[in-house]
Amino acid sequence: MKDQHIYSRQINMRNMLIFTIPTMVRMIFVSMYSVADGIVVSNFVGSMGLSAINIVYPVLNICMALAFMLSSGSNAVIGKKLGEGKPHEACSFMSLTVIINVAATIILIGLFLLWDEDIYMMLGADTELLPYCVEYGTVIVMGGPVWVMQILFQSYLVTADRPGMGLWLSVAAGTANIVLDILLVGILGMGMAGAAAASVAGMFIGGLIPFTVFCNKKSLLHFEKPKWEAMEFLHAMGNGSSEMVSNLACAVTTTLFNLQMMALAGEKGVAAISAILYLQFIFTAVFFGFTSGISPVISYNFGSGMRENIKKLFTVSVKIIGVLSLIMFALAQLSDGICAWIFASHDDILAELMVYGFRIIAISIPFTGINIFASGYFTALNNGRISALISMLRTFFLETGALILLPYMMGIDGVWWALPAAEIIASAVAIAMLIRYRKVYGY
């Protein structure tokens, strides 16, 4: 491997931060897609529009679940192959993954569009909210293939040692989304369709421009003739299953949040939880970004059999995650009033709900950091079983269970406390798994 590649550099705090900061910043900009829609829609369309976005969101989670699974699982396989000195196999496998993922997404989108109204009603809409959901959802779901390519290519840019390009593409996509949101919704009055069109336009930037990198044969990763490898592909699916579980679980828990809030606080409650979940994702996006950035380096060293490097990577990563957790928690506690003003400056009831709820949900942020890293760490080590265990526990089981049980016991406070309760319990399991497997992988 040539000296300019990250895989040949010394493993220390400085080098790992230089490599992963672009990915962390990129994830923050990616998180701004939904947030920009939410802010503009809340202020120009109203709380009905904000509620509709959160009802449509589970549909997007399901459409994108396969992409997140394959981007993470295939990246671990690709990084391992590069570490084993098999670059042609790595490139062929990348090409195969892109073709299958885009084709599957087109089929899935067609099925959603056939039954969109029924689906939105099951996800918590009523007859008043349904037109907003259909207007927003039709446009944004049709942009699914481009969004899939954005997810895949952004992760492959990191593996190809081009995280800087991924960062600038995300900045450009996020900026385009925000500017078009203001233009289409705020100035031209295009409503929900305008907000969705702005998001899809941003996806085009992040999803299509990377073709210039992967069509270049001089790139570390580039398109080559795909070769069907059934067992390898199934392994990638299994290894990335934790990311699929996380997205499917997000669809389930978002629906539960919507249903519980609609029952306890009505449409304004749904709007409040919508805004809070957007904000929470901004603060946790940095953990997804770091884990996504460091994972190819872990997979490469795992494939190369460099156990000492695996140990160094783990030590550096835990220190970075610890510091980031404290910083993100402090920022969240200091910014609740500002965030409420941005989303609900025109609605005192909505603002009050947001401030109160966000202060409680922000407690989950430090625990979310270790959970995201632990799941991603095992994925990078090609141990999809433990990675999926952590993801399933914290989302499908703990968070879903908390959303069903706590509101019954505590009313609306139970909705706010569901996420912190799930993340705190899951973090104990994640730490136990990291301790349990430290000798197996040498960290």
Side-chain angles (χ1 to χ4, degrees), residues 92-153:
S92 174
F93 193 75
M94 180 191 74
S95 304
L96 175 70
T97 303
V98 172
I99 292 171
I100 292 177
N101 202 167
V102 171
T105 301
I106 292 172
I107 295 171
L108 189 59
I109 288 170
L111 295 175
F112 271 123
L113 292 177
L114 284 174
W115 292 288
D116 57 348
E117 293 189 6
D118 293 333
I119 291 171
Y120 295 139
M121 291 297 285
M122 287 190 297
L123 294 176
D126 56 19
T127 54
E128 193 175 5
L129 277 173
L130 184 59
Y132 293 87
C133 296
V134 172
E135 183 181 355
Y136 182 79
T138 300
V139 176
I140 203 160
V141 169
M142 289 184 69
V146 183
W147 199 350
V148 163
M149 287 188 286
Q150 176 179 260
I151 293 169
L152 292 173
F153 291 158

Side-chain angles (χ1 to χ4, degrees), residues 55-259:
I55 289 171
V56 173
Y57 199 71
V59 175
L60 302 181
N61 282 130
I62 295 172
C63 287
M64 298 303 109
L66 183 63
F68 281 109
M69 175 182 70
L70 289 179
S71 69
S72 178
S74 65
N75 245 334
V77 173
I78 291 167
K80 184 171 179 288
K81 285 182 178 294
L82 290 174
E84 293 170 343
K86 302 174 181 177
H88 293 293
E89 289 187 19
C91 294
S92 174
F93 193 75
M94 180 191 74
S95 304
L96 175 70
T97 303
V98 172
I99 292 171
I100 292 177
N101 202 167
V102 171
T105 301
I106 292 172
I107 295 171
L108 189 59
I109 288 170
L111 295 175
F112 271 123
L113 292 177
L114 284 174
W115 292 288
D116 57 348
E117 293 189 6
D118 293 333
I119 291 171
Y120 295 139
M121 291 297 285
M122 287 190 297
L123 294 176
D126 56 19
T127 54
E128 193 175 5
L129 277 173
L130 184 59
Y132 293 87
C133 296
V134 172
E135 183 181 355
Y136 182 79
T138 300
V139 176
I140 203 160
V141 169
M142 289 184 69
V146 183
W147 199 350
V148 163
M149 287 188 286
Q150 176 179 260
I151 293 169
L152 292 173
F153 291 158
Q154 289 285 356
S155 65
Y156 293 151
L157 283 173
V158 177
T159 308
D161 197 22
R162 301 288 295 274
M165 182 178 185
L167 167 60
W168 290 115
L169 283 174
S170 295
V171 170
T175 302
N177 185 20
I178 293 169
V179 171
L180 288 173
D181 263 325
I182 296 171
L183 175 63
L184 298 179
V185 182
I187 298 176
L188 298 180
M190 293 177 61
M192 302 300 292
S199 291
V200 172
M203 296 175 203
F204 269 91
I205 295 174
L208 298 182
I209 293 179
F211 265 109
T212 60
V213 173
F214 299 119
C215 288
N216 184 353
K217 297 297 183 181
K218 294 182 180 179
S219 174
L220 179 61
L221 279 181
H222 54 267
F223 291 123
E224 290 193 7
K225 183 179 180 180
K227 179 182 178 183
W228 173 245
E229 298 180 44
M231 295 307 297
E232 201 84 82
F233 191 77
L234 289 173
H235 174 70
M237 291 179 66
N239 195 38
S241 60
S242 61
E243 280 67 26
M244 185 174 191
V245 166
S246 294
N247 279 272
L248 292 176
C250 187
V252 173
T253 54
T254 300
T255 301
L256 284 174
F257 270 121
N258 292 337
L259 293 173

Side-chain angles (χ1 to χ4, degrees), residues 320-359:
I320 293 174
I321 288 292
V323 172
L324 289 175
S325 296
L326 294 175
I327 293 173
M328 292 300 106
F329 176 70
L331 288 175
Q333 292 296 327
L334 292 172
S335 61
D336 54 2
I338 298 173
C339 294
W341 177 80
I342 291 173
F343 275 95
S345 59
H346 61 290
D347 193 326
D348 292 340
I349 296 175
L350 181 57
E352 184 178 351
L353 272 172
M354 280 189 59
V355 170
Y356 181 78
F358 187 63
R359 286 175 180 169

